[in-house]
Amino acid sequence: MSRYPQGSDPTEVIVIGGGIAGIVCALELLEAGRRVLLLDRDEAENFGGLAKESFGGMFFVDTPEQRRAKVADSIDLALEDWRAFAEFEPGDHWPRRWAEYYVHHCTDLGYRWLKQLGVRFFPVPHWVERGLRTRGNSAPRFHLVWGTGQALVRVLAQRLLAHPRRAWLELRFGHRVERLLESDGAVIGCAGQTEREGAEFEARGDCVVIAAGGANGAIERVKANWHRDWGSPPATVLNGSHRYADGRLHDAAGRLGACITHMDRMWNYAAGVHHFRPRKPGHGLSLVPPRSALWLDAHGERILPPLVTGFDTRDLVTQVSTRPGGYSWQLLNRRIALKELAVSGAEFNPSIRDQRWLAFLRDVVLGNRWLYDTLTQNCVDFVRADSIDALAEKMNALAGDAAIDAARLRATVQAYDDAVARGAPWEDEQLRRIEMLRAYRGDRIRTARSQRIVDRRALPLVAIREFVISRKSLGGIQTDLACRVLDAQGAPIGGLYAIGEAAGFGGGGVHGLRALEGTFLGGCVLTGRAAAAAIVKRDA
Ligand SMILES: Cc1cc2nc3c(=O)[nH]c(=O)nc-3n(C[C@H](O)[C@H](O)[C@H](O)COP(=O)(O)OP(=O)(O)OC[C@H]3O[C@@H](n4cnc5c(N)ncnc54)[C@H](O)[C@@H]3O)c2cc1C
């Protein structure tokens, strides 16, 4: 129920978007005694946005979990890693400042704050994005929320909805904001239409916070902003973002002079498959690409140097997109799949999502049979067979061409299997990388010891057709450290703030070219808190 039914008492702060960034900001504003109107295009049941679907990994530095795992980490080390991986450009003033802010404050303002609210983390941090041609994470920093992003959103949303000042918060779902209202050079509200009835609405307040997410849910826009390093966009780019992440609010802010920057910076993934229960057009699932699988191009040629996940996600996307066909295959067997097959996000990690330790341990020890069966039986991009020849035939049938030559494929697999059989010291780069990954406990449990592909005890053979899947906008609306939206001259636009993915997770592109992972949810929490603090300070 609105506390201001007559509309006579204007809201102090309007937050557009009820994803994690908007929820955090609204919570902090209530905490500070501000009245908030939160508008979201989606239904109430989707409150929480993408974070609710997310895996829930968060980048923190020098935590108790790291120390218990005997991982040495420091702010200086993390900042050096971030800068190297980001490859910032000379003009990237605010992205750099936001990167420094993130690394310095993520543990205090993110990790400790969330823990104190009741969020729990998996005891062993994951080691992702170690770097390939550029330096990446020198240490494991990906702290998985026990319960995935669903638990993260549940804790935050419960805090918000049960807040002692709950009456000062008005939530309006099904409200699509189309434009920002301006008076005397400052933003004083927004306007749009309701999703169901198409009724016009207007809302006015002292200031407006854009928390409407990125633009990677609009695939035509993703293709139009395709980075030059990736050649031409592939015909099929799957959608792994929010169905309302269409950049509408970027455009609205741009019309008021906001600097919209780095939109060709995106965090897409190379191993997308079609969702078999799609909730939006082109809905894709992002596989964690099995490391012991052979990664082949659309013609069945092994991609060399071999692609192995865990080092540089952007490089995987570059390698796949710049090859003919614009999609790839991963070739493996059932045993490898049971150990390594995984999907990013809450939906296909039920044991972690539902906080069931025993089921989680069973999957680690015995293999994830449920996931293997679910994907191989339902997903159109999986084919299985007991011989390479039969598999090649099915791959060609799926692709609708004759691109795979069975004899060549047999020879490719044989060469790799021979290298496995010869044992260490490994002459194949993929096997060396697997050994490197397995040296860390967190990776050992989900990476098979060097495995032959053709092994009659591990049949059937499995081929997975994989497409690039769009996920996060790394660029966005440029902001300063107070999350104020800046114009092309670097001056703040009065009354306008941007947070979360809409703001490129801070500064219009805190990640530069590459993300160390877990920095998206973290960036939403930090920008949401920073905007609220700045608004409160401004009013003081
Ligand atoms: C499967 C999956 C796994 C992920 N795993 C991780 C992970 O492990 N670690 C990590 O750091 N990140 C992860 N992410 C990314 C992370 O979840 C997102 O980057 C983050 O949640 C974005 O939050 P946000 O609040 O900025 O935007 P969103 O969650 O996109 O929320 C924006 C909200 O704004 C609303 N909206 C949009 N347009 C309008 C409009 N015009 N008017 C009104 N409302 C509007 C939308 O309905 C939505 O509710 C993952 C994402 C996915 C999909």
Side-chain angles (χ1 to χ4, degrees):
M1 272 292 280
S2 169
R3 186 164 176 269
Y4 318 108
Q6 295 84 23
S8 55
D9 197 358
T11 304
E12 284 175 279
V13 185
I14 298 171
V15 176
I16 307 171
I20 185 174
I23 291 177
V24 166
C25 186
L27 176 60
E28 290 287 80
L29 287 165
L30 277 200
E31 197 65 33
R34 296 297 184 278
R35 291 171 309 195
V36 180
L37 167 65
L38 193 151
L39 299 167
D40 199 297
R41 214 183 141 169
D42 217 333
E43 315 274 325
E45 67 191 39
N46 295 327
F47 193 37
L50 284 179
K52 210 167 166 177
E53 295 176 33
S54 76
F55 197 32
M58 302 186 78
F59 176 104
F60 301 126
V61 179
D62 195 16
T63 61
E65 282 78 2
Q66 286 179 307
R67 270 179 252 137
R68 272 197 299 273
K70 304 211 179 342
V71 170
D73 200 8
S74 70
I75 288 174
D76 288 347
L77 184 68
L79 200 47
E80 275 183 51
D81 291 350
W82 191 305
R83 287 183 180 132
F85 214 45
E87 292 192 65
F88 286 124
E89 288 176 346
D92 287 343
H93 174 73
W94 289 113
R96 280 174 196 274
R97 296 291 308 277
W98 261 104
E100 288 158 16
Y101 182 88
Y102 187 113
V103 173
H104 276 96
H105 298 290
C106 60
T107 303
D108 245 3
L109 302 181
Y111 174 85
R112 292 206 180 89
W113 184 69
L114 290 170
K115 270 205 129 167
Q116 163 242 312
L117 293 182
V119 174
R120 290 193 292 148
F121 294 96
F122 194 77
V124 184
H126 289 8
W127 198 347
V128 293
E129 301 302 317
R130 296 170 182 223
L132 192 63
R133 280 174 273 279
T134 45
R135 170 180 170 171
N137 274 315
S138 311
R141 302 188 171 109
F142 189 83
H143 294 67
L144 186 61
V145 173
W146 183 234
T148 70
Q150 264 192 27
L152 181 66
V153 167
R154 191 167 56 240
V155 168
L156 290 167
Q158 272 171 5
R159 290 277 167 169
L160 181 68
L161 300 177
H163 197 277
R165 293 196 191 95
R166 170 66 181 87
W168 291 26
L169 168 72
E170 185 183 354
L171 295 171
R172 284 192 215 155
F173 293 100
H175 281 62
R176 184 180 67 245
V177 176
E178 299 278 0
R179 50 189 202 282
L180 300 165
L181 305 176
E182 189 194 26
S183 173
D184 293 333
V187 173
I188 52 149
C190 61
Q193 287 188 338
T194 58
E195 283 291 333
R196 278 214 188 122
E197 303 83 8
E200 300 284 337
F201 72 86
E202 263 192 25
R204 285 167 193 267
D206 295 343
C207 63
V208 171
V209 181
I210 300 176
N216 269 39
I219 298 303
E220 285 318 311
R221 198 164 177 142
V222 167
K223 289 185 176 179
N225 287 318
W226 205 242
H227 196 280
R228 60 179 184 278
D229 291 353
W230 301 331
S232 320
T236 301
V237 175
L238 295 176
N239 193 346
S241 179
H242 199 290
R243 64 187 168 137
Y244 294 147
D246 59 5
R248 201 176 292 249
L249 267 299
H250 295 67
D251 294 344
R255 286 195 292 274
L256 297 189
C259 175
I260 313 298
T261 176
H262 298 328
M263 293 307 286
D264 60 349
R265 310 284 167 92
M266 312 172 192
W267 203 240
N268 298 330
Y269 292 90
V273 294
H274 290 86
H275 201 310
F276 46 92
R277 285 191 300 265
R279 295 188 294 275
K280 58 196 157 203
H283 191 171
L285 292 173
S286 180
L287 301 184
V288 179
R291 289 157 165 169
S292 305
L294 279 185
W295 208 322
L296 315 169
D297 68 14
H299 296 274
E301 300 292 334
R302 188 171 181 206
I303 301 176
L304 292 170
L307 305 188
V308 182
T309 195
F311 298 91
D312 184 341
T313 290
R314 187 175 193 273
D315 183 69
L316 298 179
V317 171
T318 310
Q319 297 304 328
V320 170
S321 329
T322 48
R323 283 186 161 69
Y327 67 91
S328 63
W329 293 97
Q330 279 202 286
L331 194 66
L332 60 162
N333 59 42
R334 180 173 185 269
R335 185 192 290 156
I336 295 171
L338 286 176
K339 180 88 177 164
E340 299 187 2
L341 193 60
V343 181
S344 171
E347 191 176 6
F348 290 91
N349 286 285
S351 58
I352 303 177
R353 182 193 63 216
D354 303 336
Q355 303 176 327
R356 291 186 287 126
W357 268 113
L358 281 179
F360 171 74
L361 292 173
R362 184 201 58 208
D363 291 347
V364 169
V365 176
L366 300 177
N368 194 336
R369 285 155 206 253
W370 170 80
L371 186 64
Y372 173 83
D373 290 342
T374 304
L375 290 178
T376 53
Q377 287 166 21
N378 297 298
C379 178
V380 65
D381 297 307
F382 282 67
V383 289
R384 285 177 290 174
D386 283 344
S387 71
I388 294 283
D389 286 26
L391 194 70
E393 206 176 306
K394 288 190 175 177
M395 290 163 81
N396 281 333
L398 179 60
D401 57 26
I404 311 282
D405 178 84
R408 271 194 72 82
L409 187 59
R410 226 181 304 120
T412 303
V413 174
Q414 186 67 52
Y416 178 77
D417 284 353
D418 288 348
V420 174
R422 282 193 289 277
W426 305 111
E427 61 206 47
D428 190 286
E429 174 69 13
Q430 180 167 349
L431 296 169
R432 285 198 291 276
R433 288 196 173 273
I434 288 173
E435 185 172 70
M436 187 197 294
L437 292 165
R438 278 180 52 89
Y440 178 59
R441 185 159 60 115
D443 282 304
R444 197 157 52 242
I445 60 165
R446 19 185 222 136
T447 311
R449 205 188 294 270
S450 52
Q451 291 281 322
R452 281 187 293 139
I453 304 291
V454 178
D455 176 346
R456 66 183 170 74
R457 290 161 308 169
L459 293 174
L461 297 166
V462 181
I464 316 172
R465 182 178 59 169
E466 297 175 345
F467 298 92
V468 173
I469 176 167
S470 148
R471 183 75 101 211
K472 295 130 190 165
S473 303
L474 298 190
I477 304 169
Q478 187 127 69
T479 54
D480 63 11
L481 287 182
C483 300
R484 296 182 302 179
V485 173
L486 304 176
D487 66 17
Q489 285 70 46
I493 297 175
L496 190 59
Y497 296 77
I499 58 176
E501 197 166 331
F505 304 96
V510 67
H511 297 98
L513 213 49
R514 292 186 199 80
L516 291 169
E517 279 284 1
T519 45
F520 312 108
L521 292 170
C524 290
V525 170
L526 291 188
T527 54
R529 296 197 72 192
I535 290 167
V536 171
K537 195 167 160 201
R538 178 192 85 148
D539 298 345

